[in-house]
Amino acid sequence: MFWNNFFESTNWRREKWVLITLIIGLVLTSGIHFLSQKSIQESSMFEFQLERSIILENGLKNIEKHLISLDNRLQMLILTGGNNNIQDLDKFRKEIYAELGSIKSKVEESDSSYWELDNAVQQKIEFNSLILSNYKNGDASSLVSMFHQNNVISSNFRDAYDQFYRDHDLDFTNNFESMLRQRSKILYINNIAYFLGFSFLVFALITLLRSIKKRMILEENLILSKEQVVHNANIKEQFLANMSHEIRTPLQSIIGFTNRIGKEKLTEIQSDYVQSIELASESLLRIVNDILDASKIESGMMRIEEVPFSLPGLLHSVDSMFQPKVANKDIYLKLHPGNDLPEFLLGDPIRLTQVLINLIANAIKFTEHGGIDVYPVIKDRHDQNFTLQITIKDSGVGIPESKLPHIFDRFEQADPKVTRIYGGSGLGLYIVKELVNLQDGRIKVKSTAGQGSQFVIEIPYKITTDIQGMPKPSRELVLMKYNFEDIKVLVAEDNLMNQRIVGMLLSDEGIEFDMAENGKVAIQLLENNSYDIILMDIQMPEMDGYSTTEYIRDNMHITTPIVAMTAHAFAGEREKALNAGMNDYISKPIKEDNLLNLIAELAPSNKKIVQSSQDPAPIFRRTKASSKSPDELFIDYNYLFSSSHGKRKYLDKMLNLFIDQAPKEVFAMGNCLKQGDNKKIAEIAHSLKSTVGYVGLQSNFQPILEAIEEQAKENADTEVLVRLHEQLNNLVNLAIDKFKSEILPIVGKP
Ligand code: ADP
């Protein structure tokens, strides 16, 4: 498989020449090695043979020399008639035998030319002994003929000598020359092979280097494009987060106001319209929330908590939430809890609620007759660990079998008509599946078209008895009004407008607070006072919110709940704040409901009294259309009125604060511009973002403030900053004029 792909790939086709030259180079190098080995072997063979030849030749020559000496001594002895040299003759004989012995050791036992030589030498020695004994016996007459015969025996020896010489190839010069010839031939082949091998290897090396260079460029491009992809993903994520935020804020106003209109006395048709607006805006809000959740999941920002929660409580809340809906549709929703369901579990109640809400909402959406049954049961219990299985069974339209395998994919719907008839984006089941997976669980679906569907989730949990730190019901699910007693809050915030607004919101609720303009002051206040909650701005001069929190947690060991306040609406901002040791996160511009619900959640239980939900009487109605005015300044009246909950005093204070504060900040920015203090310019621009947010001016001011912040951070041309500052100044003046002429007169009226 791997090799198939390997040889089919384009890269292989490009790289094959490198491989071929490498293989040839390797073959040639192996050839060189083989030839060198052969040449070494032959040299040592030759040396061995040479040594043997020298020994044999020397032996032969010595035998011949000793035989001649023997003959000469014998002749001398006979001619001089003495007896002196008889011992010498023995000495020569011994030496001849010694030489014969050494020759024998170098030849094989069956070597015939050796035996002929041996024979001839023996004959010669024996004949010499015969001559000597005749001489000693005084038989002079036979001596002459014997010497003649001795010559014949000598020539026999000579023949045997020559035969031996030939048979053993003792011609040294000839052998040496042939060896030299052989050697130079091998050397020649070696050189050619070496040259070719070297050339191929050099070629392979060059091609390899070129391919490495190409690969490096490719890798660099890959890294660049990966960074680009990550960058694009971040931009997408930021865009989604910003857009969701931007859409949700006005949407919440629409829902809020529609809700209030619904409570007025309306004609039947008006009431129908209001209901339609309510339904449409709720489904739009759900889509926006789904998109934000999906983007969080995709960027790995979705955090799963492990906290104690009441399972029956959670099931009951979800059930009560849907009862009015099923009653409206004339179908039923029935909970069938298993007998042995534990009371308290360790896990993420918010994510479990989200999964159940999605599945039950779908079941209700796609069921017209009959109803929905929910079966929570325990499975695979081992001590405190078990799997919670919840089956949601409906008798609705069902899902065709062909669609089932893809039903959990993003934007997948069983039928194209679904969106038209029921609404929805096809993201719900994808989010459900991802949330279940993130909790180490699994989800299955069974369905028959026309007969209903059955979704089964299985999530592992731990049973617990330690219910300290159990979270309160989700802020989105429950609308409550709180009364706070003896609660003291520390607010760390540098922006004057923010300071006053948070201060106003807290004072309205009778909550005591201290204000710190940066992290350092907050720490000083904490050294001498104790608080129930700390509201912490993130971006502050001297010491920012993150370092202040770290100091409070790590050095002062204070565990008071800390809530981050930031103007960023990016996904992951909450997680970042939690990682830094904070308990929660609230985005600016701060809304009264959100702030109070958060305080209610985090305040000690003995210091708050929960009251029933209450709608403040509406004081304001929109007096003018809020579309863009001719001078292009857009005030988000919806936001302005909903955030003030229609309280005239609050709105009046807020607008006057802006009229007082904003020009001062713009003026300060102008001074910094003259001094070239870009850092301070960026800080003022950032701080102005939340100032304008409180008075519904975000859409006009956001782009220009962001541009100033960015340009100042990048130390852009002063001219650009001067131009932007001028535009900002004009916008602020325009806004102040509008507030003075359009809104303040209405607010001022009783
Ligand atoms: P949405 O409901 O927003 O379209 P979902 O991801 O929640 O998106 O669901 C995807 C599709 O799966 C739905 O459009 C619908 O066709 C089908 N579906 C989901 N739940 C049910 C159900 N209980 N009964 C029938 N069809 C369902």
Side-chain angles (χ1 to χ4, degrees):
M1 191 71 178
F2 167 77
W3 292 111
N4 283 352
N5 293 345
F6 182 80
F7 290 119
E8 276 161 19
S9 73
T10 350
N11 278 348
W12 155 243
R13 285 199 282 281
R14 215 184 303 137
E15 309 287 334
K16 74 177 167 200
W17 289 112
V18 183
L19 202 69
I20 289 171
T21 43
L22 264 175
I23 290 172
I24 295 175
L26 275 175
V27 169
L28 287 172
T29 331
S30 311
I32 295 168
H33 178 71
F34 175 74
L35 288 174
S36 307
Q37 284 293 102
K38 207 175 149 206
S39 143
I40 290 168
Q41 249 176 19
E42 277 180 4
S43 294
S44 48
M45 275 286 288
F46 182 78
E47 271 160 27
F48 173 73
Q49 272 178 356
L50 201 65
E51 189 199 345
R52 183 171 166 266
S53 302
I54 289 167
I55 292 172
L56 292 181
E57 199 178 11
N58 281 344
L60 271 184
K61 282 185 177 156
N62 285 341
I63 289 174
E64 188 183 32
K65 193 175 84 193
H66 293 319
L67 281 176
I68 291 168
S69 303
L70 197 67
D71 275 356
N72 289 343
R73 290 291 159 99
L74 197 62
Q75 277 179 10
M76 285 282 286
L77 188 80
I78 291 168
L79 286 177
T80 54
N83 238 350
N84 297 349
N85 292 329
I86 286 185
Q87 282 184 345
D88 276 358
L89 297 178
D90 270 347
K91 198 182 95 197
F92 284 129
R93 266 185 223 114
K94 272 185 197 153
E95 277 182 16
I96 288 167
Y97 283 128
E99 294 293 348
L100 213 51
S102 77
I103 289 176
K104 193 182 174 194
S105 72
K106 295 285 171 195
V107 295
E108 285 181 12
E109 195 61 34
S110 57
D111 190 328
S112 60
S113 55
Y114 166 76
W115 289 115
E116 272 175 27
L117 181 72
D118 185 86
N119 208 15
V121 171
Q122 295 289 355
Q123 253 189 356
K124 189 91 176 92
I125 291 173
E126 276 167 22
F127 200 73
N128 269 341
S129 301
L130 194 67
I131 294 173
L132 188 63
S133 76
N134 278 3
Y135 166 70
K136 277 182 186 164
N137 293 339
D139 189 0
S141 61
S142 64
L143 284 178
V144 177
S145 67
M146 278 186 98
F147 269 116
H148 277 296
Q149 212 177 328
N150 195 23
N151 283 344
V152 175
I153 292 170
S154 289
S155 97
N156 281 350
F157 165 74
R158 193 68 221 171
D159 287 347
Y161 179 105
D162 288 344
Q163 185 62 38
F164 188 87
Y165 200 91
R166 267 195 310 278
D167 283 357
H168 293 90
D169 210 4
L170 299 182
D171 187 349
F172 175 76
T173 324
N174 189 23
N175 283 348
F176 194 66
E177 272 174 7
S178 85
M179 190 209 75
L180 282 183
R181 268 198 308 279
Q182 182 72 9
R183 268 196 174 180
S184 64
K185 201 169 118 195
I186 290 174
L187 210 65
Y188 179 69
I189 297 172
N190 250 3
N191 281 343
I192 290 190
Y194 174 77
F195 175 74
L196 285 176
F198 185 77
S199 316
F200 274 105
L201 285 177
V202 167
F203 177 70
L205 192 73
I206 292 170
T207 327
L208 208 66
L209 283 176
R210 283 179 57 188
S211 129
I212 288 172
K213 195 179 157 197
K214 250 188 225 166
R215 199 152 300 168
M216 276 162 67
I217 293 171
L218 268 177
E219 262 168 35
E220 270 168 27
N221 288 344
L222 208 69
I223 291 170
L224 279 181
S225 42
K226 203 176 146 199
E227 279 170 4
Q228 191 61 41
V229 168
V230 173
H231 178 70
N232 288 349
N234 284 344
I235 289 182
K236 183 189 120 195
E237 203 191 304
Q238 281 190 6
F239 171 77
L240 278 176
N242 288 347
M243 279 312 290
S244 312
H245 178 80
E246 296 304 314
I247 297 169
R248 266 193 301 183
T249 315
L251 209 52
Q252 251 142 11
S253 304
I254 296 173
I255 294 171
F257 279 108
T258 320
N259 216 291
R260 282 190 203 173
I261 297 171
K263 286 176 187 142
E264 301 280 311
K265 233 174 163 235
L266 301 170
T267 63
E268 203 174 317
I269 193 132
Q270 281 171 336
S271 158
D272 263 6
Y273 290 162
V274 168
Q275 219 176 359
S276 301
I277 299 173
E278 235 175 355
L279 278 177
S281 37
E282 265 166 22
S283 97
L284 186 57
L285 187 63
R286 203 179 133 198
I287 290 173
V288 173
N289 286 341
D290 278 356
I291 291 174
L292 196 62
D293 276 345
S295 105
K296 259 190 187 178
I297 288 170
E298 270 164 28
S299 57
M301 293 289 193
M302 186 63 86
R303 234 168 49 97
I304 298 298
E305 293 194 317
E306 199 171 82
V307 292
F309 69 94
S310 155
L311 179 63
L314 185 147
L315 293 170
H316 177 73
S317 309
V318 175
D319 181 56
S320 353
M321 182 180 163
F322 283 111
Q323 283 310 332
K325 263 202 174 143
V326 287
N328 265 349
K329 268 191 108 171
D330 218 10
I331 53 174
Y332 70 86
L333 168 68
K334 217 165 167 195
L335 204 60
H336 310 267
N339 289 335
D340 46 359
L341 276 190
E343 173 73 26
F344 296 110
L345 311 184
L346 261 189
D348 194 326
I350 295 179
R351 301 304 161 209
L352 178 61
T353 310
Q354 200 175 349
V355 166
L356 290 178
I357 287 179
N358 260 301
L359 292 177
I360 297 175
N362 270 350
I364 296 174
K365 188 158 86 173
F366 295 106
T367 304
E368 299 303 330
H369 308 286
I372 297 106
D373 294 285
V374 181
Y375 302 92
V377 289
I378 265 195
K379 260 185 78 184
D380 309 330
R381 181 165 175 181
H382 301 289
D383 293 332
Q384 301 303 301
N385 297 308
F386 74 98
T387 302
L388 174 65
Q389 184 190 66
I390 304 181
T391 307
I392 295 115
K393 196 167 173 238
D394 67 57
S395 53
V397 293
I399 305 165
E401 208 181 327
S402 60
K403 290 284 172 185
L404 282 177
H406 310 287
I407 208 72
F408 294 107
D409 295 350
R410 281 183 308 169
F411 308 116
E412 198 64 47
Q413 294 183 317
D415 194 320
K417 292 196 293 280
V418 164
T419 317
R420 203 167 5 100
I421 305 172
Y422 302 99
S425 59
L427 272 177
L429 287 183
Y430 164 74
I431 293 169
V432 165
K433 186 175 179 211
E434 292 301 314
L435 288 179
V436 170
N437 285 347
L438 279 172
Q439 294 175 88
D440 299 326
R442 53 200 193 129
I443 181 162
K444 283 182 290 186
V445 57
K446 268 196 232 161
S447 184
T448 315
Q451 287 180 24
S453 314
Q454 180 176 315
F455 285 85
V456 183
I457 55 161
E458 289 180 353
I459 302 176
Y461 287 102
K462 264 192 207 127
I463 296 174
T464 184
T465 44
D466 177 12
I467 54 167
Q468 264 191 0
M470 203 160 89
K472 321 290 171 298
S474 158
R475 262 173 270 152
E476 278 88 32
L477 278 180
V478 187
L479 268 171
M480 289 290 184
K481 185 97 179 106
Y482 295 93
N483 251 11
F484 302 100
E485 284 174 359
D486 289 338
I487 284 188
K488 203 165 167 200
V489 175
L490 171 63
V491 185
E493 169 65 77
D494 64 315
N495 176 295
L496 207 62
M497 181 96 174
N498 277 331
Q499 280 184 5
R500 294 206 186 153
I501 282 172
V502 174
M504 243 162 29
L505 290 174
L506 294 176
S507 323
D508 278 359
E509 294 298 317
I511 297 173
E512 202 187 322
F513 66 91
D514 282 337
M515 193 64 73
E517 66 262 28
N518 61 45
K520 266 192 190 165
V521 180
I523 287 169
Q524 279 161 12
L525 284 168
L526 273 166
E527 271 163 3
N528 304 314
N529 301 286
S530 75
Y531 298 93
D532 298 301
I533 290 167
I534 302 167
L535 300 177
M536 179 80 68
D537 182 27
I538 294 294
Q539 203 166 338
M540 289 185 289
E542 302 229 15
M543 197 167 179
D544 71 12
Y546 292 130
S547 355
T548 313
T549 305
E550 267 168 36
Y551 188 86
I552 294 171
R553 295 286 188 243
D554 300 342
N555 294 42
M556 304 175 86
H557 305 292
I558 292 176
T559 55
T560 309
I562 302 178
V563 177
M565 302 188 288
T566 146
H568 297 297
F570 304 146
E573 201 63 44
R574 179 172 181 268
E575 280 71 15
K576 217 163 129 192
L578 295 181
N579 280 343
M582 304 192 193
N583 299 62
D584 217 321
Y585 154 90
I586 186 164
S587 65
K588 291 189 208 167
I590 288 162
K591 288 176 125 195
E592 189 182 8
D593 279 351
N594 289 351
L595 180 67
L596 296 182
N597 279 337
L598 244 178
I599 294 177
E601 229 174 65
L602 298 170
S605 51
N606 57 338
K607 292 191 176 181
K608 63 190 172 205
I609 303 163
V610 182
Q611 288 186 340
S612 61
S613 163
Q614 212 179 58
D615 274 332
I619 298 170
F620 292 102
R621 292 283 174 268
R622 276 168 64 185
T623 49
K624 285 189 180 182
S626 64
S627 59
K628 286 190 180 178
S629 57
D631 43 19
E632 288 300 312
L633 184 80
F634 171 68
I635 298 174
D636 185 351
Y637 288 99
N638 273 340
Y639 176 76
L640 203 57
F641 294 137
S642 74
S643 70
S644 62
H645 278 280
K647 291 179 197 157
R648 270 178 305 164
K649 230 171 83 192
Y650 175 85
L651 195 51
D652 185 54
K653 263 193 194 173
M654 207 153 60
L655 293 176
N656 278 312
L657 260 173
F658 177 83
I659 292 168
D660 176 50
Q661 186 58 27
K664 282 186 190 157
E665 294 195 33
V666 176
F667 182 71
M669 190 186 275
N671 280 342
C672 296
L673 208 53
K674 279 179 205 148
Q675 289 155 13
D677 187 351
N678 280 1
K679 195 170 162 250
K680 191 87 188 121
I681 294 174
E683 275 173 24
I684 297 175
H686 184 85
S687 141
L688 261 169
K689 275 196 225 164
S690 42
T691 308
V692 298
Y694 283 111
V695 287
L697 287 174
Q698 219 158 3
S699 64
N700 287 85
F701 281 76
Q702 192 84 358
I704 191 167
L705 289 173
E706 250 158 34
I708 295 177
E709 194 179 351
E710 210 171 281
Q711 299 288 339
K713 274 184 189 159
E714 284 172 10
N715 284 327
D717 207 348
T718 325
E719 251 181 52
V720 178
L721 282 171
V722 169
R723 232 182 14 253
L724 287 169
H725 177 253
E726 243 175 56
Q727 282 175 20
L728 178 70
N729 195 30
N730 291 343
L731 263 181
V732 167
N733 289 336
L734 208 63
I736 291 175
D737 283 351
K738 271 201 130 185
F739 285 153
K740 282 185 178 162
S741 62
E742 284 182 12
I743 310 175
L744 282 175
I746 313 167
V747 176
K749 279 181 194 159

